[in-house]
Amino acid sequence: MEQDNYIGKVTRVRGSVVDISFKDRLPPLHSVLYAGINSNVIIEVLLQLDAHQVRGVALTPTQGLARGMRVKHPEKSLEVPVGDNTLSRMFDVFGKAIDGLPEPKDVAWRPVLQDPPSLASRTNRSEIFETGIKTIDVLMPLERGGKAGLFGGAGVGKTVLLTEMIHHLVGKSKGVSIFCGIGERCREGEELYREMKAAGVLPGMVLVFGQMNEPPGNRFRVGHAALTMAEYFRDDQNKDVLLLIDNVFRFIQAGMEVSGLMGQMPSRMGYQPTLSTELSKLQERISSTDKGAITSIQAVYVPADDLTDPSAVHTFSHLSASIVLSRKRAGEGLFPAIDPLHSASKMCNPEIIGKRHYQLAQEIRKNLAQYEDLKDIIAMLGTEQLSPEDRKTVNRARRLERFLTQPFFTTEVFSGIPGKVTPLEETLNGFERILNDEFADVPENHLYMIGGINEAMDKEKEKPNNSSEEGSLYEA
């Protein structure tokens, strides 16, 4: 008789929102219900309307669902598989394999909704997470066990930069890497899987995808599903985990859709009133403990390139490093199109990165900021009207800008330039030599799209007749 109480029936279907009535006891919030002809419609309970009715959001399409259909409640919430056998596999939000291979065996299943680690179990160590990308390592170093955000509008290179980081980090990382695609295009998932397989790094990775054609409830839970898998490797296996999320805005957008479907009044700029809480529940689970660390790199789409948008503002507050991508720099061909003046990291501190590194980073920013201030004068009057000191600054800053560029492995097919990884010490030496004006007479295009500074010297030797007056790739 107890079991009968947990069999309900559909009373109303409105898009992805489904109302279900039960005879006696209601299922708890966040329970999973199964409806439809073959129990193929999965619903998550989000609201208890009264003593006999609940309202849920479907995590799968609701085609074929009708009033009066029976609903089963297996007395559990949404779960995903965890274990070593999940490595090198690709899953959806329900923990089903979507890579065309058989379902993994000998795995445990855990609920996707978990509490964040307690304050007592967290660690406060500060350690640099080297990426091999010059701009990031020098000007906005990432924190091991921290959260870094890649902010940018459409088409400025967020996914390319994230994929490049996977190439650099997954191969040398001794831990586990988890890629979480929230609202991604299906071709992006397929390309990433193929590229990781070809690079030989798939055995240490787990991929979790919720594609953009899935219902909002599905996309809203993909991040939690990936985090549950990451927490298993951190807490049970004491491993360091690299969690890559693409992208956080789609998570916020899915929450906005769910909120609208549930009838909540929208808040500022149409976002859900619970935006801050929902984002915090996801971000607070990404942390370092005394057992292991979850280092997260997250792409964040910025609507209309507006960094004051609530989605960007609320995400900023959770991060230890913010990498802002500039459409202007992308238009000038300066890739990666990272804006060095708007990007920042709390790790850029002399006590953490050392006095020499800190002073070099400050000097680079100072030169680039002065060049930015002089651009209006150059546009109106030309460089001839500048003082000799300002001319030196412009000359130095333009070489710094070009040395900040780097060829990527991800873009080799399109650019024809082989990808480069540059060790931090070599990069610091290069910037130090540019700041000391050792390259004042070297054509600035020799510093464009290279790895270490010695490559510029090699180019100079190959073309001894070049002079500093030779036209550069992009004029001011």
Side-chain angles (χ1 to χ4, degrees), residues 3-301:
Q3 187 64 26
D4 289 345
N5 294 337
Y6 272 82
I7 293 180
K9 66 176 182 178
V10 175
T11 55
R12 188 166 83 157
V13 182
R14 191 180 72 233
S16 292
V17 179
V18 184
D19 289 359
I20 301 144
S21 67
F22 291 85
K23 293 178 186 174
D24 186 10
R25 208 150 53 95
L26 293 180
L29 292 178
H30 305 300
S31 297
V32 169
L33 308 176
Y34 293 87
I37 299 167
N38 299 314
S39 298
N40 59 339
V41 179
I42 304 172
I43 301 159
E44 182 183 359
V45 177
L46 293 184
L47 196 64
Q48 294 183 345
L49 296 172
D50 54 39
H52 297 285
Q53 282 202 97
V54 297
R55 179 168 290 167
V57 168
L59 306 182
T60 54
T62 52
Q63 283 96 330
L65 199 62
R67 286 183 188 175
M69 281 188 169
R70 284 161 66 87
V71 177
K72 295 176 185 174
H73 173 47
E75 301 195 29
K76 65 178 183 181
S77 59
L78 192 62
E79 294 180 336
V80 288
V82 296
D84 286 337
N85 288 341
T86 60
L87 290 170
S88 79
R89 303 298 304 274
M90 186 190 282
F91 299 95
D92 63 12
V93 73
F94 308 111
K96 292 178 183 173
I98 53 172
D99 52 9
L101 299 173
E103 295 292 333
K105 294 177 181 176
D106 301 322
V107 291
W109 289 77
R110 290 191 181 172
V112 300
L113 295 175
Q114 304 277 359
D115 292 327
S118 64
L119 290 174
S121 68
R122 297 187 186 220
T123 180
N124 57 358
R125 67 182 178 189
S126 291
E127 195 180 335
I128 293 296
F129 191 74
E130 202 174 316
T131 65
I133 297 172
K134 291 185 289 191
T135 319
I136 294 172
D137 288 344
V138 174
L139 297 178
M140 56 226 67
L142 305 189
E143 179 186 12
R144 185 174 295 280
K147 295 186 274 278
L150 306 177
F151 291 84
V156 292
K158 294 185 301 300
T159 303
V160 169
L161 191 54
L162 200 63
T163 313
E164 187 67 11
M165 284 189 181
I166 296 171
H167 270 284
H168 288 191
L169 305 174
V170 172
K172 68 176 185 179
S173 173
K174 295 174 185 174
V176 172
S177 301
I178 295 178
F179 183 89
C180 174
I182 305 175
E184 287 296 282
R185 300 166 186 86
C186 59
R187 76 168 163 78
E188 289 174 338
E190 189 274 333
E191 283 172 7
L192 182 71
Y193 182 80
R194 186 162 26 85
E195 284 170 13
M196 295 302 103
K197 196 170 184 178
V201 297
L202 202 58
M205 285 190 78
V206 182
L207 296 96
V208 190
F209 273 92
Q211 291 166 203
M212 58 168 52
N213 64 307
E214 303 287 357
N218 183 311
R219 287 179 272 123
F220 188 59
R221 288 290 178 234
V222 175
H224 298 107
L227 265 169
T228 298
M229 293 178 172
E231 285 165 346
Y232 165 80
F233 289 108
R234 180 192 66 190
D235 300 336
D236 292 43
Q237 298 205 353
N238 298 346
K239 289 183 177 179
D240 281 357
V241 182
L242 176 63
L243 176 66
L244 303 129
I245 303 175
D246 191 5
N247 86 53
V248 171
F249 176 77
R250 303 290 176 210
F251 166 78
I252 293 169
Q253 195 177 43
M256 182 164 60
E257 289 179 53
V258 169
S259 174
L261 287 167
M262 297 303 290
Q264 289 181 326
M265 283 287 287
S267 183
R268 182 171 166 238
M269 292 178 70
Y271 287 98
Q272 64 271 40
T274 51
L275 167 60
S276 180
T277 308
E278 288 168 2
L279 191 59
S280 299
K281 281 182 179 177
L282 184 79
Q283 298 282 5
E284 285 300 302
R285 289 171 65 182
I286 306 170
S287 63
S288 300
T289 68
D290 42 21
K291 293 180 180 179
I294 297 178
T295 304
S296 173
I297 300 170
Q298 312 170 14
V300 186
Y301 167 71

Side-chain angles (χ1 to χ4, degrees), residues 446-467:
H446 284 192
L447 294 161
Y448 179 72
M449 283 294 170
I450 60 171
I453 197 74
N454 291 332
E455 291 181 38
M457 301 302 292
D458 294 340
K459 284 185 180 180
E460 185 68 6
K461 287 172 187 172
E462 287 170 17
K463 298 179 180 179
N465 295 325
N466 281 350
S467 69

